[in-house]
Amino acid sequence: HPSSIRSVAGDRRLIVLSQVHGIGPLLGRKLLAFFGSLTVIGSRTPDQLQGCPNIGPKAARRIHEFFADNSQVNGQTSQPSPG
């Protein structure tokens, strides 16, 4: 059933966002509704994140730092350069 698949994906995304201090299910849903995906959220600057309703400077900075520190979360795994 497609809606249950969507629900599982949505739950996973909310779980990821809930790891950011101060971001609960409500703000997580707002972020996902506004930006569309974790990849997009992770690629935004703090100023861009503040474009989402109810996201202030502190939350935007926390979200940005979370994705910068956890780049594998949004599908951008950092691999060591061959040396």
Side-chain angles (χ1 to χ4, degrees), residues 2-78:
S3 65
S4 62
I5 292 170
R6 225 175 296 126
S7 174
V8 170
D11 289 349
R12 182 192 163 280
R13 295 181 305 173
L14 287 174
I15 289 168
V16 169
L17 287 171
S18 72
Q19 295 175 45
V20 180
H21 178 72
I23 305 298
L26 183 62
L27 277 181
R29 283 192 200 92
K30 287 184 182 207
L31 283 161
L32 288 168
F34 190 84
F35 292 109
S37 73
L38 290 176
T39 303
V40 174
I41 294 168
S43 69
R44 295 299 182 247
T45 66
D47 285 343
Q48 290 170 324
L49 291 167
Q50 287 181 65
C52 180
N54 301 100
I55 300 296
K58 287 182 185 177
R61 190 170 60 248
R62 285 190 205 115
I63 295 163
H64 181 75
E65 289 171 359
F66 174 82
F67 281 94
D69 293 343
N70 299 283
S71 59
Q72 72 278 4
V73 168
N74 61 10
Q76 301 173 359
T77 56
S78 54

